[in-house]
Amino acid sequence: MPQQLFYSNVPIAQGNQLYLERPRINRILEQAIQRPVVAVTAGAGYGKTHAVYSFLRNRDFLTAWIQLSCRDNTGCRFWENFTRAVSMISQETAKLLAETAFPETERQFERYLSIPRGEALPDTKYIFVYDDFHLISDKKVLRFLEHSITTPFSNITSILISRNDAALMQNPSITGMLSKITEEDLRFTQEEMSNYFLMQNIKASPHTASTIYRDTGGWAFAIHLAALSLKNAAAYIPAAIRSNIFKLIDSEVMAGLSPELRKYLITASLIERLTPALLREINAGLDPADGLGKIGSFVQFDTYLDAYRVHPLFLEYLSGKQDELTAAEKTEVYTRAAAWCARNDQKIDAINYAEKAGDYDTLFEVAYAFPRVMPNHIAALLLAIYERAPRKLFDQNPVTWVLYTRLLMAVGLFDRAASELAEIIPKLEALPRSPLVCRSLAGCYNNRGLTGMITSTYTGDYDYIQYFERASYYHRFSNYDAAPPLSVMSVGSYICRVNNNEPGEMERYIDAIGAMVPYTAASMGGCGYGMDDLAGAELAFFREDLNRAEQSARDALRKARERDQYEIENRALFFLLRISVAKGGVNAIQDIFRQLEAQLGTAGYPNRKTHYDIVCGWFYAQTGAAGKLASWLKNEFEDSDLNSINHGTEILVKAKYHAAEKRFPAALAALESRDSKYGARAFITGKVELKALEAVCRYQCRDKPGAFRALEEAYTLAQPNALYMPFTELGKDMRTLTGAALKIAALAIPRDRLETIRRNASAYAKKLFAVRSALNVRSTHLVRSIPSVRPAPMVRPAPTVRPAPTVRPAPTVRPSPTVREVSTAASPLSRRELTVLSGLAQGLTRTEIAENEHLSINTVKSVIKSVYNKIGALNQADAVRIAADMGIIR
């Protein structure tokens, strides 16, 4: 941040500061920060940033200052910016944040909060400043910001500096927590203007001062320009200020600069974040302190950002002068900026600058370093850049075709990727052979094989092996070896990606994987090594052949570790965990958890934390310790943000969690959540598992016809391949359901099979009880606590999560809880949120609340989610209990 509010043109001794104190504004801000959110809203030049900085600089707050720009409307770019701001408080915390993805969902937001949770000092005030907030329009970024600023921590205040009332500030969930500071508050009083003139050693007559104040209306920027006019011309020229501020900048600021400094400033306007290191990179002949550092109040160094700030109007002026630079000069600036950002791991900025420079070599190099499976928004950003690139560049650097078709697959365009590859590969094979061409052919053939492997779920066509074989052939001449994360195979929710239940089809699939693996392992750095054993383990497990499943899983585990196949390793441990539970092996379970925990330290495994949460979540839900699940797996409304091609087990875990908590309608809702064509429900194993769970949930909801239909469907899907383990794992719930089904004569399941399922489920329930009892005796925690990394204090610990109570039928009808007469000024909830919470407290369903309040069901869900976030609740019972404790309801 700048070290002074305004600067004089008179040279100042180093270390001195000219800084106008405005006690009136400080008093307003002191009162405002008692609330969670402060909106400082005014047009350009009203001194919003200066007022906030002036207030913060003399107070003992821990402050993160996030300077926003239009490019922060991309989640990954915003996250880089946010992380850099946090680094000014703690490099260690920033490093931990940088290892996580931009929090687009409740799961990721909870993980973001978990980094600093528990380390905040309760008596310390934390300020997060979001400057130029009006530039943000992206829904995902706004959603993160809404979550962040409404997190109910008493010692955190978010200050939003904006030129207008941004949509987020008008959100009902925020307005009840908001203090506003407007243009009228920020306008200089005539006394403040006179004090500023005195600070600048300017003597203005009372008449002149009154005229200036009338003309400027207390606008800080215009007052400053008037002061410059008085200082340089000994007279005030109101017409010049009113008619053309840019002319004043030209005459009062730029006219006195050398041609070199003028060009330096215009060059700097091409760059968004003016860090000293980047400025030295693009202008090697001039130190930033000798350039930007001497311009005065228009350009100031920001200690929070470790970067220079350019006043918006001055930046607009400089941008209008960029025509004074030649095309070659602009290209050189963008090229240097791209190279610097690439070296400093600022990938999104590097890609944007490289595209402006036309430096596609750097662009492709940075883009190729992203993991094979990347977030959709990054894939879409890169794909748009690729499609704007000149076609001749692809011919000059044929490796670009590999990433281009990988991006098509990343956004789900498999048919288009296959079509493009069908045209690309013959052209590449017609080129003279070289290591680069062979590398490109190996990559394209591997991509073609992967598209075939994914689509074989529906086609049953396993001829994709030939593409992997060709990839392996060309790889031998490429002089290139892939490394993690590019070399890691993403295995997905279910390993046997078979859509139909024809007998023998799963064996055909496993044979195809077995034929594929030697080629993928050879051409992609071990990719897929052990996957065929893992597929065999899954099939044997679902067939209740536990010994064979265990041996295959151990073979998969050994091979995965040999070639750094982290996802195969994780999934092998998952099957071994389920096998150990079925066998009652307590020691084996504890050993598996230690191995899962060890994976958390694997830096080349981007999804390690998510997969760890899912595997542990399955175990905790299965053994009745549902309260230990990661919070993001407990959310009732959230659609998955995970790539549906590679994930989906979370659907099963979420449903099991709600079932374990006796919240069967919520479990059914999780089972009915949206899924893609290649998600968990695409595979026969997933269909059986989810449908069997649906059956027991429906029975617990007293929907016997629906339960029996679901049971019949699950059996019909499972019977041709004897996939009965999903029934067995449901334990006592399946025992109860099959006991009732045996009394139904018309059920389309053989009686002897029902008896077998019931007997196996009963035996499993006894093993499960023994496991639970043994673990409870030995330790209250299954695994040792993960050592916490001590980040810098940023946010206070989250409110204690209270486990939801078991729902039991009430013996008597009690009066319904009601909302207290609490004003929105005293409550963190808006009026609409209070109304919806009242409905929940009275036992109304979401549909009934929607009808009563004339709202859509989606609006009701959104409001409930907002209530949960604000008061730190995980479910309906938790929300009612916490709200009662807070005095919001009774």
Side-chain angles (χ1 to χ4, degrees):
M1 282 298 297
Q3 296 302 309
Q4 54 196 67
L5 182 58
F6 293 109
Y7 286 73
S8 167
N9 283 350
V10 178
I12 305 167
Q14 186 174 4
N16 291 346
Q17 293 185 353
L18 293 178
Y19 206 98
L20 179 66
E21 291 292 342
R22 300 179 69 188
R24 179 180 61 85
I25 298 298
N26 289 345
R27 286 193 297 271
I28 293 173
L29 280 164
E30 189 71 56
Q31 181 64 31
I33 64 166
Q34 303 308 309
R35 308 206 74 186
V37 188
V38 179
V40 183
T41 307
Y46 275 89
K48 303 181 294 296
T49 294
H50 292 157
V52 174
Y53 178 73
S54 171
F55 170 72
L56 292 176
R57 76 186 186 108
N58 293 322
R59 283 160 177 80
D60 189 19
F61 301 149
L62 285 174
T63 303
W65 194 291
I66 299 93
Q67 177 61 57
L68 301 169
S69 73
C70 290
R71 279 165 53 194
D72 287 307
N73 284 300
T74 299
C76 46
R77 170 57 167 77
F78 168 84
W79 195 238
E80 289 179 355
N81 191 8
F82 181 83
T83 302
R84 283 196 297 261
V86 173
S87 72
M88 302 308 295
I89 296 177
S90 167
Q91 292 285 345
E92 188 175 6
T93 301
K95 182 179 179 181
L96 292 172
L97 290 174
E99 291 177 356
T100 66
F102 165 63
E104 297 184 10
T105 66
E106 294 297 332
R107 173 183 64 84
Q108 293 170 323
F109 184 74
E110 179 65 25
R111 193 174 304 288
Y112 151 68
L113 285 182
S114 73
I115 291 174
R117 182 174 289 153
E119 296 295 328
L121 302 174
D123 297 327
T124 299
K125 183 72 174 181
Y126 300 94
I127 304 290
F128 282 74
V129 181
Y130 299 93
D131 203 352
D132 284 339
F133 190 85
H134 57 277
L135 298 177
I136 301 301
S137 58
D138 181 78
K139 292 181 179 178
K140 292 180 179 178
V141 175
L142 286 172
R143 183 169 180 250
F144 166 77
L145 290 170
E146 180 180 357
H147 276 38
S148 295
I149 67 182
T150 56
T151 300
F153 297 145
S154 61
N155 58 339
I156 294 178
T157 292
S158 297
I159 300 178
L160 315 181
I161 302 176
S162 178
R163 291 190 188 179
N164 53 50
D165 283 327
L168 185 56
M169 298 181 192
Q170 301 171 15
N171 188 318
S173 67
I174 293 177
T175 52
M177 312 167 67
L178 183 67
S179 291
K180 284 191 175 184
I181 297 175
T182 65
E183 286 183 357
E184 293 305 313
D185 298 314
L186 293 169
R187 289 181 192 276
F188 273 56
T189 65
Q190 189 162 345
E191 180 183 3
E192 288 171 332
M193 183 190 74
S194 297
N195 290 337
Y196 173 60
F197 286 164
L198 289 174
M199 186 186 75
Q200 295 280 28
N201 295 319
I202 296 171
K203 295 181 180 179
S205 68
H207 173 72
T208 299
S210 296
T211 301
I212 292 173
Y213 191 72
R214 183 186 68 246
D215 290 344
T216 61
W219 182 28
F221 186 60
I223 289 172
H224 178 59
L225 292 178
L228 290 176
S229 179
L230 284 169
K231 189 174 278 191
N232 294 334
Y236 169 55
I237 311 172
I241 291 178
R242 290 193 299 269
S243 64
N244 198 333
I245 287 180
F246 281 4
K247 287 183 180 179
L248 280 176
I249 294 174
D250 210 17
S251 62
E252 305 297 340
V253 180
M254 301 296 285
L257 303 180
S258 68
E260 292 78 14
L261 184 51
R262 176 185 176 89
K263 185 173 182 179
Y264 182 96
L265 291 171
I266 297 171
T267 298
S269 73
L270 296 170
I271 302 302
E272 186 168 306
R273 185 171 179 272
L274 300 173
T275 62
L278 178 53
L279 285 168
R280 283 190 287 269
E281 179 79 14
I282 64 174
N283 285 285
L286 187 61
D287 188 88
D290 295 328
L292 298 182
K294 292 186 176 180
I295 304 304
S297 63
F298 301 105
V299 181
Q300 302 165 349
F301 186 71
D302 186 328
T303 55
Y304 285 99
L305 298 173
D306 188 31
Y308 286 91
R309 282 179 173 278
V310 182
H311 192 283
L313 288 175
F314 189 48
L315 181 59
E316 185 179 341
Y317 169 87
L318 293 173
S319 298
K321 300 295 183 181
Q322 288 175 3
D323 288 342
E324 296 181 16
L325 302 174
T326 67
E329 288 172 330
K330 293 178 184 178
T331 297
E332 178 67 14
V333 169
Y334 289 133
T335 300
R336 288 175 177 269
W340 185 88
C341 290
R343 290 197 306 273
N344 289 275
D345 201 31
Q346 297 176 18
K347 295 184 178 68
I348 304 302
D349 282 349
I351 288 168
N352 283 319
Y353 288 135
E355 185 183 21
K356 289 181 178 180
D359 181 6
Y360 287 94
D361 287 341
T362 297
L363 191 156
F364 293 151
E365 181 181 351
V366 173
Y368 206 84
F370 280 100
R372 186 176 300 278
V373 177
M374 64 188 78
N376 284 343
H377 64 279
I378 293 179
L381 171 68
L382 292 173
L383 186 59
I385 291 174
Y386 265 62
E387 292 182 336
R388 290 194 296 266
R391 293 295 93 182
K392 65 179 182 180
L393 296 173
F394 286 72
D395 297 331
Q396 295 170 359
N397 185 357
V399 173
T400 57
W401 289 113
V402 180
L403 179 57
Y404 174 59
T405 51
R406 177 151 62 90
L407 292 172
L408 290 173
M409 289 190 290
V411 297
L413 300 176
F414 302 109
D415 290 341
R416 182 176 165 189
S419 176
E420 293 275 8
L421 287 164
E423 294 185 16
I424 294 164
I425 288 173
K427 293 178 182 178
L428 293 176
E429 289 186 320
L431 296 175
R433 182 175 294 184
S434 69
L436 182 63
V437 170
C438 289
R439 175 185 170 183
S440 304
L441 278 166
C444 286
Y445 269 119
N446 276 324
N447 286 350
R448 182 65 186 89
L450 290 169
T451 62
M453 187 181 88
I454 292 169
T455 57
S456 70
T457 297
Y458 290 93
T459 64
D461 185 354
Y462 304 123
D463 67 351
Y464 58 80
I465 306 302
Q466 61 179 308
Y467 302 120
F468 290 120
E469 183 179 7
R470 295 294 291 168
S472 179
Y473 168 78
Y474 282 111
H475 172 74
R476 295 200 295 269
F477 309 103
S478 68
N479 297 330
Y480 172 77
D481 288 311
L486 279 177
S487 61
V488 178
M489 175 68 81
S490 296
V491 294
S493 309
Y494 295 92
I495 316 305
C496 297
R497 304 175 64 89
V498 174
N499 179 258
N500 68 74
N501 63 345
E502 291 295 322
E505 189 64 27
M506 298 180 78
E507 285 84 353
R508 285 186 63 219
Y509 180 85
I510 293 172
D511 288 344
I513 295 297
M516 174 198 79
V517 165
Y519 300 124
T520 58
S523 64
M524 290 190 281
C527 187
Y529 196 57
M531 187 175 174
D532 48 343
D533 294 294
L534 186 63
E538 179 180 80
L539 179 57
F541 177 76
F542 272 76
R543 287 178 172 172
E544 300 182 294
D545 187 347
L546 298 185
N547 290 333
R548 183 173 180 180
E550 182 175 5
Q551 183 58 55
S552 295
R554 292 195 182 282
D555 289 342
L557 185 64
R558 173 180 51 79
K559 291 181 179 179
R561 287 172 174 169
E562 287 177 12
R563 303 300 298 273
D564 293 332
Q565 296 303 298
Y566 309 125
E567 294 200 20
I568 292 175
E569 177 183 350
N570 177 272
R571 194 50 53 89
L573 289 171
F574 185 32
F575 282 124
L576 289 171
L577 178 65
R578 295 172 76 169
I579 292 165
S580 298
V581 171
K583 289 184 173 183
V586 175
N587 292 333
I589 291 169
Q590 291 177 318
D591 181 61
I592 290 165
F593 266 84
R594 283 189 285 270
Q595 295 179 66
L596 288 166
E597 184 181 317
Q599 275 203 308
L600 291 174
T602 306
Y605 181 8
N607 292 320
R608 59 192 182 277
K609 294 178 181 178
T610 296
H611 292 163
Y612 176 84
D613 284 349
I614 289 173
V615 173
C616 295
W618 178 91
F619 177 82
Y620 292 138
Q622 190 76 356
T623 56
K628 294 184 179 181
L629 267 78
S631 296
W632 69 271
L633 285 168
K634 300 176 182 179
N635 191 284
E636 183 174 341
F637 306 118
E638 183 186 49
D639 290 327
S640 174
D641 70 300
L642 302 176
N643 188 315
S644 61
I645 299 170
N646 297 306
H647 302 284
T649 314
E650 60 164 330
I651 295 173
L652 173 69
V653 174
K654 283 186 175 185
K656 277 185 169 290
Y657 160 72
H658 292 302
E661 293 289 277
K662 307 300 181 186
R663 302 174 67 247
F664 297 104
L668 289 170
L671 291 169
E672 293 168 0
S673 59
R674 288 183 297 176
D675 197 7
S676 80
K677 181 179 179 182
Y678 295 99
R681 297 182 188 86
F683 315 123
I684 190 63
T685 43
K687 291 177 181 178
V688 173
E689 192 153 39
L690 298 178
K691 187 59 68 172
L693 180 55
E694 178 190 337
V696 299
C697 289
R698 290 195 179 281
Y699 188 79
Q700 293 295 331
C701 289
R702 300 183 180 179
D703 176 14
K704 290 185 178 181
F708 294 145
R709 283 196 302 271
L711 183 64
E712 287 178 324
E713 289 181 52
Y715 173 77
T716 301
L717 291 167
Q719 187 274 329
N721 290 284
L723 308 177
Y724 296 126
M725 192 65 190
F727 301 89
T728 298
E729 281 189 314
L730 289 168
K732 63 180 182 180
D733 287 331
M734 182 55 68
R735 179 182 62 196
T736 300
L737 174 59
T738 50
L742 284 166
K743 301 175 183 179
I744 307 298
L747 207 62
I749 304 175
R751 186 177 183 83
D752 60 341
R753 175 47 57 186
L754 281 174
E755 290 280 9
T756 301
I757 291 174
R758 184 170 184 269
R759 186 166 54 251
N760 290 348
S762 181
Y764 182 93
K766 293 177 183 177
K767 295 276 190 178
L768 191 62
F769 179 79
V771 165
R772 185 186 306 133
S773 300
L775 292 174
N776 285 340
V777 167
R778 295 188 182 194
S779 174
T780 56
H781 297 284
L782 183 62
V783 214
R784 65 177 177 84
S785 299
I786 300 172
S788 59
V789 179
R790 183 181 180 85
M794 289 168 45
V795 293
R796 73 168 195 172
T800 301
V801 176
R802 303 169 173 84
T806 302
V807 178
R808 299 181 178 89
T812 59
V813 177
R814 299 176 179 176
S816 297
T818 59
V819 176
R820 290 184 184 273
E821 294 298 322
V822 179
S823 69
T824 56
S827 166
L829 305 182
S830 67
R831 188 171 300 279
R832 174 175 287 180
E833 288 166 341
L834 287 169
T835 301
V836 171
L837 178 58
S838 175
L840 292 178
Q842 296 173 46
L844 300 179
T845 67
R846 289 153 183 74
T847 302
E848 289 168 341
I849 295 172
E851 292 174 353
N852 291 347
E853 301 301 324
H854 305 289
L855 301 172
S856 71
I857 188 65
N858 287 334
T859 298
V860 171
K861 289 182 178 181
S862 178
V863 171
I864 294 174
K865 182 186 292 186
S866 178
V867 171
Y868 287 6
N869 288 336
K870 285 186 179 182
I871 66 176
L874 293 175
N875 51 45
Q876 179 175 327
D878 206 26
V880 172
R881 183 169 55 254
I882 294 172
D885 291 343
M886 295 173 66
I888 298 174
I889 64 171
R890 61 190 178 197

